[in-house]
Amino acid sequence: MVRLEGASGERFEAWYAEPEVPLPQRRPGLVFLAETFNLNAWARGTVDALARLGYRVIAPDLHWRVEPGVHLPYGPAERVRAMELYHQLDDGLAFEDVQTCLDWLHAAPDADRRSGVIGYCVGGRLALRLAAQPPEGLQLAIGYYCSDIGPYVGLGAALKVPGLFHFGATDPAIPLEVVHALAEAGHDDPRLAVHVYEGAGHGFCRAGQPQFHPGASALSQARTEAWLAEHLPFAETTPTP
């Protein structure tokens, strides 16, 4: 965990990971926006896996304004608490935290001042909205099973950066008509890619959990890695005189 100072001057925690082995290229950043369960073991492991691809990755505590440090495992009782926190999340304030994370990533002396955002569930909704109104330095957005995006499907026609979004065909929380409306809104914009995975539901990437769908997880991961390679490639390091 690292501590960052937010726009209000208050400090909050974030999980940070970077490649263990130095790379010859400058390393772009990723801001990881978790599910409403926040920075639990699965989320931290996913951040670490993204870092192993070569990115510097930071994931803010989404709920620090309500109750900092609440990172919930998956279970019936924890789900109740997670949903309480979900309904208290203010997207606008979360965007401020994304900006703080970007500033922190880009302030490093050897930083590549290009970053992307990748989000899951409520984090996916935030990623979609950020793709239509990106802060400076944000190059792409990726969202998985983006929750409650009904009011925002029109943003598919308003993307300012490339956006890749993954949905499960049997997700009870996200009607397929909403997913199709998002895809249709930006059907003629190559910056938008929407994929639906048959047989997959909400949380299909959570390895070790009942919702895990190996095929959908593997295919979406391959598409995510290809999207990152295309839209957020590593930059060659400028030699020091």
Side-chain angles (χ1 to χ4, degrees):
M1 287 288 189
V2 296
R3 293 188 64 82
L4 282 65
E5 184 174 322
S8 63
E10 297 179 90
R11 298 179 69 82
F12 63 91
E13 287 189 330
W15 184 259
Y16 175 68
E18 62 182 26
E20 295 180 1
V21 179
L23 301 177
Q25 302 95 345
R26 296 170 63 192
R27 291 169 288 175
L30 289 173
V31 178
F32 178 96
L33 299 172
E35 303 168 326
T36 192
F37 291 88
N38 216 2
L39 304 179
N40 58 18
W42 177 83
R44 296 194 303 271
T46 305
V47 168
D48 295 348
L50 289 167
R52 288 193 289 272
L53 296 178
Y55 295 92
R56 302 168 61 236
V57 192
I58 189 164
D61 178 347
L62 285 182
H63 302 310
W64 69 271
R65 291 179 177 85
V66 176
E67 187 175 347
V70 178
H71 310 300
L72 300 166
Y74 300 116
E78 291 81 6
R79 176 176 170 77
V80 172
R81 179 61 177 141
M83 294 310 298
E84 291 173 350
L85 292 167
Y86 179 95
H87 292 298
Q88 295 179 78
L89 183 70
D90 184 309
D91 284 14
L93 294 176
F95 296 150
E96 290 184 7
D97 295 343
V98 171
Q99 183 66 69
T100 298
C101 288
L102 289 171
D103 293 344
W104 189 87
L105 285 171
H106 298 169
D110 60 346
D112 183 332
R113 291 171 176 80
R114 301 173 302 126
S115 292
V117 62
I118 180 168
Y120 294 75
C121 185
V122 64
R125 181 182 75 226
L126 298 175
L128 171 62
R129 297 188 66 187
L130 285 163
Q133 194 170 1
E136 184 177 357
L138 191 72
Q139 301 294 308
L140 62 79
I142 300 170
Y144 284 77
Y145 38 92
C146 316
S147 296
D148 287 331
I149 59 168
Y152 307 111
V153 293
L155 296 182
L159 299 190
K160 301 296 190 298
V161 299
L164 169 66
F165 302 98
H166 306 285
F167 298 92
T170 62
D171 190 335
I174 307 171
L176 274 179
E177 56 264 30
V178 170
V179 178
H180 294 325
L182 173 64
E184 179 60 27
H187 71 278
D188 58 350
D189 188 344
R191 290 175 296 186
L192 175 67
V194 177
H195 296 287
V196 178
Y197 300 88
E198 294 299 325
H202 202 79
F204 63 78
C205 291
R206 299 177 192 156
Q209 297 298 316
Q211 304 92 338
F212 182 57
H213 190 290
S217 180
L219 181 53
S220 63
Q221 177 67 18
R223 286 169 167 162
T224 288
E225 291 185 22
W227 198 260
L228 289 168
E230 179 180 358
H231 299 290
L232 196 62
F234 297 160
E236 294 296 332
T237 302
T238 303
T240 302

